Structure formats: C-alpha cells, structure tokens
C-alpha cells in the first residue's frame, strides 16, 4: 500500500454533517430498546434526591453511557464520541459528558444496587431475545474471579493495596457460559482495593445462580473458582441453591498428607500439552496424571458447614532438574500437585478437564479492560461501581449483537464485534420521512452486519 497523492495534493477538513463513525450503534440501540433497557432503568433506578437535576431522565443517560461504551469509551470524557457528525440525526436524547458525569456522581450504594438489578433483568431479556446461553437446558458453568484494577491519584475513594501490592480497586465478576456459548456476565461487585479476593463471594454466587435460573437455565449449574474462593460459605451457598461446585484447593498440610495416600495404581494419564496418544496401548503418554479421593472439608467449622465430596488431584511432572536433589537425577520423580474439591457428577478425567476450563473468565477480564473498563474514571467509589455495572451491561449487549450477527461473532472477542459490527462508518441520507445508512462497499463484516440489521427489524435497500 502507498499514498495515491503527494502531501501537497492531500487535504483534510471536518465539515460533513452527514457522516458518523459508528453506524453499528443503530442496531445496538434498537436491540437495547426492544429488550426494554430504558424502561427498566426508569422503573428501578430512582435518583429523586439528586441535586441540580442529576437524577432526571435516567433512562436516556444510561442509554448514552452504554452506547458510548459500545463505541469504545473508557472514561466519562470519551462519551463525547456520541456528539459528532450525523449522530444527532440518527439518535435522540443523547447527553453531554458533563451531564453523564454528574449523573454517575449522584449514585449512592443503594442506587448502584438498583442499577445492578436493572442489569440482571436486562440480561435475562437479552437471553430470551437472542438465545445468549444455548445449551443451558443441559449445563451452565458459573465462573467467579476477582481482579485488582490499578488506579492513580490520591482522590480515588476506596483505593488501596491488596494482594497484588498495587494501589487499586478490587472487583468481582461471575460469568455464565455453556459448551455452546461464549461467557456473559451475570453478577459483579466493586470493593475496596484492600478487600480479600473472596469477600462477599457467597452472596454474589447466590445472586448469579438466581440470575441464570431467571434466564431460563434448567440444566445443571456448576460453580467453578480458584483456591481463593474455597470456603465453607461458598460451598454452603452452592448447595443451598442446588448447584454443584468445583473449587481449587490450596496445598496445605492436610491436603498434601491426603494426596500421599493415593496409591500409584490410581493415577490416570490425561491429554495435556505435549501429550502423545499411544495407538497400541490406547492411552495418553503424558506428563500429567489425575486421581481422586474422598475428602471431608471444613472439619474445623460447625457440623452444618462440613462437606464431603471428591478431591480431584492432578500431578504434573517437574522437568526442571533444579527440583531434584543433587546427584540424584531421575531416581526421584518430582511432581507439582493441583487439587480440586468437587461434587460434580462427571467421570474423573472429564471433571478435571471441566475445572481447568475455569480459565475462560480471564477472557472476560481481557475484554472488559480492552473496552469500558480501561479505567475506573471517577474519584467517587459509587460512581465507579455504577460504571462497572454499565460496563458489564455493555459487554452483554455486545455479546448479544454478535449472537444475532453470525456463528463466528457469537464467540468472537468483543473487540472483534466492535471493530466489524459497531465501528462501521456511515453516511446518512434522509428522504420521504426515511433514514438510510450508506455503509462502505465491500466491508469485511457485511453479511454479518446485514443479518444483525434485519434481526432488529430494520430494512435493507436493494
């Protein structure tokens, strides 16, 4: 590729009132309206006591914030992306960044909880409209994890140093997925930066289970988490809401002693990176093996909290000679052990593999930080909590757009969906009380965009 004209013959001018940079916002806003987002906000989020009218028209303000996030905004100032070219011709009731900032700062914790209730109800409607969780009649995986979002400046309320040793705010999310569906966020919560990973996890898991049931999930629900969430409260919450659990266990003394009682004949090789299938013996030749043993956890707690289930153990051969005693070499086989406390009904190998798929939650963290959660933009804690909820709502709406567009976009990264389906430049033309979006010829995602466009009952020019 090269320039077609010399610099002296190349000009630029911002003077076309008929252009907009994000033509894909049209079907996105239409889908949000069809699923009743503005009405849900007006019904549930009540900021009547806010000063200077900051609580007025919450539906329009939430729609403006979500649309800006779909367009890539990761700060309050970035919401100005809605105020260019023909946006005012294509959409109404858009709000200025200063108005949206005042709206967010008017939130109290009670208002944040109202917004979270709105997001859960909206996600349920998206699931019914777009089939966000295909296969939920068989099985749904709920993955909980937390992350410290680094922040800067002394004015960030609630910021502190946690286990990562960086100053930030600590948030939890629970994502729901199936073997056929990409993950959607069904619960979220912002905490102080110094909060432990598992603080409030049991109640958040209970909230997530109720949400997926409301989304129409009638199959088995499996809660997966790493060792930070291994607690009697989490197990009790899972059993109280009739969900299975699969929780990693830290390598404490009692667990190590239990692992040593597993006989050598109980270990089964599994498919693992660099594993080789032996055709003659019909087995995997692998550096990783699994076994299981019964375990009763939380014996130091009250009897009602004690839980007996399977302890799934994976051992992986250490290939680093530094771990072998001097001069001994291969006389001693040294392993790393990973234990999982689970009550899932699957066979050993399948149950252990299913737990490893918990890593899917890291994809969601990456998607959030690549979009609206690039920053926590306010100095006020509750404003940032509301921003987090809106970011998860925008994530789920993006997932719904991909589901309606094509099988590829249904599982694509949200950045791919934004690039191919939302950030589509358009020129608007009006006539005979109609509005026509003229889109680029030979756009890479044209077929998927057309499928999305017609799915929300908009029409194509032929």
């Amino acid at each position: 590729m090269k320039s077609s004209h010399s610099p002296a013959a190349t000009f630029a001018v911002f003077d076309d009132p008929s252009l907009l940079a994000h033509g894909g916002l049209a079907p996105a806003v239409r889908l949000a309206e069809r699923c009743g987002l503005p009405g849900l906000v007006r019904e549930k989020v009540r900021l009547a006591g806010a000063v200077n009218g900051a609580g007025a028209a919450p539906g329009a303000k939430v729609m403006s914030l979500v649309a800006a996030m779909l367009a890539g905004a990761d700060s309050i100032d970035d919401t100005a992306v809605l105020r260019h070219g023909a946006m005012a011709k294509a959409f109404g009731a858009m709000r200025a960044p200063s108005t949206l900032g005042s709206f967010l700062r008017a939130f109290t914790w009670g208002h944040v909880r109202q917004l979270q209730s709105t997001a859960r109800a909206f996600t349920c409607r998206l699931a019914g409209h777009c089939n966000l969780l295909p296969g939920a009649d068989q099985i749904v995986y709920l993955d909980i994890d937390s992350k410290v979002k680094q922040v800067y400046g002394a004015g960030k309320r609630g910021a502190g140093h946690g286990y990562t040793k960086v100053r930030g705010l600590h948030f939890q999310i629970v994502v729901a997925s199936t073997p056929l569906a990409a993950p959607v966020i069904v619960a979220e919560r912002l905490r102080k930066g110094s909060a432990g990973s598992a603080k409030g996890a049991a109640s958040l898991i209970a909230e997530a289970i109720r949400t997926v049931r409301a989304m129409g999930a009638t199959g088995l629900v499996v809660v997966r988490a790493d060792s930070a969430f291994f607690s009697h409260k989490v197990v009790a919450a899972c059993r109280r809401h009739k969900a299975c659990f699969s929780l990693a266990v830290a390598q404490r003394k009692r667990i190590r002693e239990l692992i040593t009682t597993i006989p050598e004949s109980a270990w089964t090789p599994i498919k693992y990176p660099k594993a080789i299938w032996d055709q003659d013996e019909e087995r995997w030749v692998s550096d990783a093996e699994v076994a299981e043993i019964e375990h009763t956890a939380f014996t130091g707690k009250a009897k009602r909290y004690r839980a007996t289930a399977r302890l799934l153990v994976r051992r992986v051969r250490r290939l680093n000679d530094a771990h072998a005693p001097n001069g001994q070499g291969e006389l001693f086989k040294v392993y790393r052990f990973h234990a999982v406390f689970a009550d899932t009904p699957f066979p050993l190998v399948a149950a252990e593999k299913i737990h490893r798929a918990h890593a899917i939650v890291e994809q969601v963290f990456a998607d959030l930080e690549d979009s609206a959660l690039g920053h926590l933009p306010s100095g006020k804690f509750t404003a940032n909590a509301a921003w987090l909820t809106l970011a998860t709502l925008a994530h789920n709406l993006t997932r719904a757009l991909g589901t309606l567009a094509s099988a590829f976009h249904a599982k694509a990264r949200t950045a791919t969906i934004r690039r191919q389906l939302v950030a589509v430049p358009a020129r608007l033309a009006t006539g005979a009380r109609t509005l026509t979006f003229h889109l680029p010829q030979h756009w890479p995602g044209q077929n998927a965009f057309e499928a999305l466009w017609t799915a929300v009952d908009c029409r194509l020019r032929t």
Side-chain angles (χ1 to χ4, degrees):
M1 178 181 288
K2 64 178 182 178
S3 300
S4 60
H5 291 69
S6 67
T10 305
F11 299 88
V13 58
F14 290 88
D15 66 347
D16 195 328
S18 298
L19 296 180
L20 55 87
H22 299 89
L25 286 179
V29 170
R30 184 75 65 186
L31 177 59
E33 291 173 340
R34 289 185 66 175
C35 292
L37 179 56
L40 284 170
V41 174
R42 289 192 297 269
E43 174 189 341
K44 293 176 176 288
V45 181
R46 301 180 181 180
L47 293 161
V51 298
N52 299 325
K61 292 172 182 175
V62 166
M63 287 291 289
S64 295
L65 284 162
V66 171
M69 290 175 174
L70 288 174
D74 65 359
S75 69
I76 295 172
D77 286 344
D78 280 354
T79 60
V81 72
L82 300 180
R83 298 164 65 84
H84 73 270
M87 290 291 289
K89 187 185 298 184
F91 308 98
M94 292 182 297
R95 296 300 193 262
S98 58
T99 302
L100 298 177
S102 298
F103 172 66
L104 290 171
R105 289 188 292 272
F107 273 70
T108 65
W109 186 250
H111 297 130
V112 172
R113 294 295 289 163
Q114 292 172 359
L115 186 61
Q116 289 173 344
S117 176
T118 301
R120 291 194 299 272
F122 178 67
T123 300
C124 290
R125 293 188 181 185
L126 278 179
H129 188 79
C130 307
N131 192 23
L132 273 183
L133 286 177
D137 58 334
Q138 300 295 320
I139 188 169
V140 175
Y141 302 115
L142 289 179
D143 295 283
I144 181 171
D145 208 346
S146 67
K147 188 175 182 67
V148 175
K149 180 64 183 175
Q150 188 170 9
V151 298
Y152 306 90
K156 292 284 187 182
R157 298 179 188 174
H161 293 81
Y163 70 95
T164 62
K165 310 302 181 184
V166 300
R167 186 171 180 274
L169 293 168
H170 200 170
F171 67 94
Q172 285 174 338
I173 62 171
V174 182
V175 303
S177 63
T178 73
L180 303 175
V184 294
I185 303 171
V186 292
E188 78 292 327
R189 185 175 297 162
L190 185 67
R191 294 96 46 77
K192 292 183 178 180
S194 58
S197 294
K199 181 178 175 60
S203 62
L204 197 67
I205 288 170
E207 195 173 278
I209 295 172
R210 290 193 294 267
T211 300
V212 295
R213 291 301 186 195
M215 291 169 70
T218 57
L220 179 68
V221 175
V222 178
V223 176
R224 303 183 295 198
D226 61 28
S227 60
F229 298 88
F230 177 68
S231 73
H232 65 285
K233 292 182 180 180
V234 168
V235 170
C238 293
R239 290 189 162 175
R240 187 167 58 250
H241 291 85
K242 297 179 172 56
C244 294
F245 55 82
S246 182
L247 311 173
V249 183
Q251 294 293 301
R252 293 188 168 88
K253 180 180 178 181
R254 187 178 174 208
I255 297 298
R256 291 196 299 269
E257 291 175 347
L258 185 61
I259 291 173
T260 61
T261 66
I262 299 175
E264 192 64 28
S265 59
W267 295 98
T268 302
I270 60 171
K271 184 179 180 181
Y272 206 65
K274 299 183 180 179
I276 299 172
W277 178 253
D278 189 315
Q279 294 282 1
D280 296 330
E281 298 188 12
E282 296 185 346
R283 68 179 183 91
W284 288 105
V285 179
S286 174
D287 290 326
E289 298 171 311
V290 292
E292 67 174 285
I293 191 171
E294 187 179 89
H295 174 52
T296 300
F298 319 121
T299 54
K301 303 293 182 181
K303 286 186 177 181
R304 67 179 183 275
Y305 289 125
R306 296 175 187 175
T308 299
R310 311 157 71 190
L311 189 71
L312 314 178
V313 184
R314 180 176 81 252
R315 69 178 186 182
V316 182
R317 180 78 174 273
R318 289 191 189 273
L319 300 179
N320 188 345
D321 291 339
H323 295 285
N326 289 335
Q328 298 302 311
E330 288 295 315
L331 288 177
F332 295 93
K333 293 183 179 180
V334 185
Y335 295 95
R336 291 180 287 117
F337 294 93
H338 308 268
V340 176
F341 189 59
D343 67 346
T344 52
F346 311 111
L348 168 62
V349 174
E352 195 277 334
K353 183 179 180 180
I354 284 170
H355 178 82
R356 276 187 280 141
H358 166 67
I360 196 172
V361 71
E362 298 298 336
Q363 173 190 322
V364 180
F365 282 136
D367 282 348
L368 286 173
E369 294 199 319
D370 193 31
S371 55
L373 219 61
H375 301 89
L376 288 169
S378 180
K380 188 173 181 181
F381 181 83
T382 49
N384 286 326
W387 183 271
L388 170 64
T389 298
L390 292 169
T392 62
L393 193 155
H395 175 276
N396 292 346
L397 182 56
T398 305
R399 278 268 160 249
L401 295 175
T403 300
L404 292 176
S406 71
F408 166 77
H409 289 95
K411 288 197 171 185
R413 288 284 304 274
T414 55
T416 302
I417 299 173
R418 284 193 302 275
R419 184 174 63 253
Q420 296 187 1
L421 301 181
V422 177
V424 186
R427 178 175 60 83
L428 266 60
T430 57
R433 292 183 293 181
T434 64
L435 189 65
T436 301
F437 286 67
H438 291 274
L439 306 168
Q441 191 176 33
H442 306 307
W443 183 256
Q446 178 177 338
N447 293 336
F449 187 91
E450 289 177 346
L452 171 61
W453 188 265
T454 55
V456 295
D457 292 337
C458 294
R459 300 170 63 185
L460 296 170
R461 290 276 187 198
T462 57

